[in-house]
Amino acid sequence: MNTMLSARSLDSLRFDNNFVRQLPADPQPENYRRQVQNACYSRVTPTKVSNPKLVAYSKEVAELLNLSQKECESSTFTELFAGNSLLEDMDPFAMCYGGHQFGSWAGQLGDGRAINLGEIINNQDQRWMLQLKGAGPTPYSRSADGLAVLRSSIREFLCSEAMHHLGIPTSRALSIVTTGELVLRDMFYDGHPKDEPGAVVCRVSPSFTRFGNFEILSARNETDLLKKLIDYTIQTDFPHLGTPSAEVYTAWFKEVCRTTVEMILHWMRVGFVHGVMNTDNMSILGLTIDYGPYGWLEGYDANWTPNTTDAQGKRYSFSNQPHIGQWNLLQLANAIYPVVQQKEPLQEALAMYNDLFQKGWNRMMAEKIGLATFNHNSDDTIIGDLIDILQLVETDMTIFFRKLADISDTDMDTASADPLAPLLDAYYAPDTLPDGYREKMTNWLQSYKMRRAQDNLPQSVRREKMNRVNPKYVLRNYLAQLAIDKAETGDYSMVGELLELLRAPYDEQPENENYAVKRPEWARNRAGCSMLSCSS
Ligand code: AMP
Ligand code: MG
């Protein structure tokens, strides 16, 4: 058993380690890299670090876990969530999973640098798994070190919380600590490795099970264990579906299709690009997980991906995300088939995905432009034309939709001096808009004005509704990078500022206007702002 921490604090945490209790463990207790068969996880202890320091914690996640401010600011907290000590009831382990990476089966992957500490039951009876990312090697680390650097940890910490406050299903982040150790990384795999500060994030989620957890068992023909994991997942994470049975299996897969569609629609709504939608990064709960080389659209560009590893193929570009979601679900369907043993319902669910996505997209886009409902006769064209026009000149997605909410009927009048004037802030080159563009946008505004008139909504009501789906503040790529630049000098203030800012992304925050502006020119091609890699 693990060593108990001497301090008796944090004993508000109540553990119930269901996953390890119900599913088979790898019998090998030693921590060396290997293929792990006939098991869902391996027990492993986090690696101790020399000098852990708390960078920030999320007060909302602390509340979820019933942790007080005092507890979060204690040295015990920092030691625990750096992986330096364990509470008696923790039972740390790394999960075994496989995955399709960039379209090809990659075999066993697993938690190479994630260690689950245990499951908390909070005082509302909710179940939360605590997981350290970057706390040292595990049997699944393959050729890598099991560590994470400060820059990528800040990106994960801030974005998890930002996504939650945007109303997007996601894993959460409790804390980020620096370890006092240096970690060698070759950021662009181009022969320029550099020592970077190491860090550990404590992620929190009802479950971290991925499509890949099922795929690995299927690929190894471990069908009994596959059934066990499916049944366990349904009973634990989908209890409303009832006792596992043939019908429940297909209802479960349908639900996974539905939650995956919903998650991706949210991403499309706010301009989020995950960057690495491999099946090992797809949560069975439809949560956004594994924040790596993700990014936010600045100029609306359907083909954009922040991930330099994907610069050629653009497999995981913004507009390809819905299609990839379905491709990943197909891999999941293939993986669970040996247990489900019914082809048609799985195929039906996959077909339903297209339908759900299209309906969801229509509804979401109608909301973004402030229409009361989506009307097929007119709105396919209005929305389709807008998406095309947005890509003719570099137009900031976030600013554009906020400005569109402000635009009044008189503003859109062709007789007015410049119908585009209210939108100018959204353009990266407002002074050089081509005439053809002006004409197209002016015409679009005319059709939009006529369509809006049919809804008969007061301007203030429409504006309010639009501002609830179009955020004012997102974790712009360059903002995260500025916080990282500061943090790397030991100043964590901007991490705290952004965490605070992003707690209310839909609100006007007049004192924070500077965080709602377009990407500055210096950030256009800067590493970390527009180009990211999987090296983290
Ligand atoms: P990712 O692309 O970050 O989702 O990672 C893919 C796989 O590589 C997962 O199994 C990770 O756990 C593993 N991995 C990524 N980075 C590291 C690292 N520094 N050390 C060990 N394993 C890693
Ligand atoms: Mg991953």
Side-chain angles (χ1 to χ4, degrees):
M1 254 288 118
N2 305 306
T3 44
M4 187 182 160
L5 192 76
S6 49
R8 278 182 39 83
S9 52
L10 297 200
D11 42 25
S12 37
L13 294 181
R14 186 155 58 93
F15 285 89
D16 174 40
N17 299 321
N18 205 25
F19 190 89
V20 292
R21 201 168 50 236
Q22 297 210 32
L23 293 165
D26 168 12
Q28 173 57 259
E30 301 303 319
N31 188 359
Y32 63 91
R33 289 124 212 258
R34 59 183 177 268
Q35 293 291 307
V36 174
Q37 322 250 343
N38 293 306
C40 288
Y41 63 94
S42 306
R43 286 200 163 83
V44 61
T45 311
T47 303
K48 286 198 190 305
V49 299
S50 57
N51 190 16
K53 291 259 183 321
L54 183 67
V55 174
Y57 71 93
S58 156
K59 57 185 178 197
E60 288 86 3
V61 180
E63 265 165 38
L64 272 184
L65 302 174
N66 311 133
L67 288 169
S68 66
Q69 182 181 347
K70 190 161 165 247
E71 284 173 308
C72 294
E73 287 165 9
S74 68
S75 57
T76 308
F77 180 94
T78 303
E79 293 286 329
L80 273 175
F81 296 112
N84 262 2
S85 49
L86 293 168
L87 295 172
E88 191 183 34
D89 292 336
M90 288 177 171
D91 192 357
F93 67 96
M95 283 204 238
C96 180
Y97 55 79
H100 279 84
Q101 298 189 315
F102 293 94
S104 306
W105 175 242
Q108 178 183 298
L109 299 165
D111 285 331
R113 55 166 166 177
I115 298 179
N116 299 279
L117 296 175
E119 292 165 73
I120 299 290
I121 306 289
N122 72 8
N123 54 21
Q124 285 162 54
D125 255 352
Q126 294 167 326
R127 178 175 292 279
W128 295 103
M129 181 76 85
L130 304 183
Q131 183 184 80
L132 300 184
K133 181 166 175 182
T138 76
Y140 308 96
S141 296
R142 296 177 293 154
S143 58
D145 57 12
L147 304 175
V149 294
L150 182 59
R151 77 182 138 80
S152 59
S153 304
I154 289 177
R155 285 170 49 81
E156 171 133 25
F157 175 78
L158 285 177
C159 203
S160 309
E161 291 306 283
M163 293 289 266
H164 167 74
H165 294 298
L166 283 163
I168 303 178
T170 177
S171 61
R172 306 292 301 272
L174 171 65
S175 57
I176 171 168
V177 295
T178 48
T179 59
E181 320 270 331
L182 291 175
V183 174
L184 193 65
R185 284 288 180 273
D186 186 355
M187 194 175 357
F188 287 107
Y189 308 113
D190 61 356
H192 295 94
K194 203 177 101 190
D195 274 331
E196 298 189 45
V200 176
V201 170
C202 179
R203 311 197 283 194
V204 176
S205 172
S207 135
F208 285 97
T209 303
R210 301 142 191 274
F211 292 6
N213 291 71
F214 303 93
E215 287 181 278
I216 189 73
L217 302 178
S218 192
R220 287 173 169 162
N221 292 318
E222 295 174 0
T223 312
D224 290 348
L225 186 48
L226 176 64
K227 179 173 184 323
K228 217 175 201 167
L229 181 64
I230 294 174
D231 289 357
Y232 169 84
T233 302
I234 292 173
Q235 281 157 353
T236 311
D237 298 313
F238 299 80
H240 53 280
L241 295 179
T243 312
S245 66
E247 295 82 67
V248 169
Y249 290 147
T250 56
W252 170 61
F253 183 68
K254 270 196 184 139
E255 186 157 327
V256 179
C257 290
R258 207 163 32 239
T259 52
T260 303
V261 167
E262 276 164 22
M263 170 184 79
I264 295 173
L265 279 167
H266 278 295
W267 295 355
M268 307 304 283
R269 171 172 66 83
V270 298
F272 176 80
V273 187
H274 181 283
V276 208
M277 289 176 73
N278 293 332
T279 55
D280 51 302
N281 291 337
M282 297 294 290
S283 146
I284 201 70
L285 291 175
L287 305 174
T288 313
I289 53 167
D290 281 18
Y291 292 88
Y294 68 81
W296 296 81
L297 287 192
E298 290 156 351
Y300 191 103
D301 174 0
N303 293 322
W304 185 70
T305 172
N307 185 356
T308 49
T309 318
D310 192 26
Q312 297 298 312
K314 295 197 184 293
R315 179 178 174 87
Y316 300 140
S317 64
F318 179 66
S319 62
N320 217 26
Q321 297 186 118
H323 164 67
I324 293 295
Q326 190 187 34
W327 191 89
N328 288 342
L329 284 160
L330 171 61
Q331 308 316 311
L332 177 64
N334 285 334
I336 63 175
Y337 178 72
V339 172
V340 178
Q341 296 215 337
Q342 312 162 75
K343 223 185 207 151
E344 286 75 28
L346 294 177
Q347 279 170 340
E348 269 168 40
L350 286 167
M352 173 195 82
Y353 178 100
N354 286 331
D355 198 42
L356 281 179
F357 178 76
Q358 197 53 51
K359 286 201 178 104
W361 168 265
N362 292 344
R363 192 174 48 241
M364 182 267 284
M365 287 306 297
E367 281 173 8
K368 277 184 82 67
I369 62 173
L371 304 180
T373 49
F374 176 82
N375 174 349
H376 265 293
N377 297 329
S378 52
D379 303 348
D380 265 337
T381 315
I382 297 248
I383 291 166
D385 287 353
L386 177 62
I387 301 285
D388 291 344
I389 295 171
L390 282 176
Q391 297 181 83
L392 295 176
V393 297
E394 198 178 11
T395 313
D396 192 275
M397 175 180 179
T398 308
I399 300 177
F400 178 85
F401 285 100
R402 290 295 281 209
K403 293 289 166 195
L404 192 66
D406 289 341
I407 235 171
S408 69
D409 285 354
T410 5
D411 287 334
M412 286 187 283
D413 229 322
T414 27
S416 81
D418 180 2
L420 269 60
L423 299 171
L424 288 182
D425 268 355
Y427 298 115
Y428 278 84
D431 300 331
T432 54
L433 294 174
D435 288 345
Y437 174 83
R438 286 187 155 275
E439 195 186 325
K440 283 198 174 101
M441 189 47 123
T442 307
N443 289 342
W444 185 83
L445 287 170
Q446 285 313 300
S447 324
Y448 175 55
K449 181 180 158 187
M450 289 197 296
R451 173 62 186 88
R452 265 179 22 169
Q454 293 169 12
D455 287 346
N456 210 12
L457 274 184
Q459 163 73 10
S460 60
V461 174
R462 181 189 310 105
R463 180 177 183 278
E464 183 59 26
K465 287 172 75 147
M466 287 171 77
N467 285 351
R468 292 290 122 205
V469 294
N470 296 314
K472 167 110 178 187
Y473 298 100
V474 295
L475 183 57
R476 288 176 176 274
N477 312 313
Y478 83 91
L479 289 178
Q481 189 57 42
L482 286 177
I484 290 165
D485 290 344
K486 263 197 176 172
E488 287 181 343
T489 70
D491 175 355
Y492 305 135
S493 57
M494 197 170 163
V495 175
E497 276 164 41
L498 291 180
L499 183 64
E500 192 56 32
L501 173 85
L502 297 166
R503 292 177 71 225
Y506 299 101
D507 291 357
E508 292 292 331
Q509 302 182 36
E511 69 287 11
N512 286 322
E513 276 300 315
N514 57 320
Y515 287 134
V517 297
K518 282 176 293 222
R519 174 208 61 224
E521 223 18 63
W522 61 260
R524 181 183 288 275
N525 294 314
R526 218 200 113 179
C529 297
S530 59
M531 293 181 295
L532 293 142
S533 78
C534 292
S535 166
S536 60

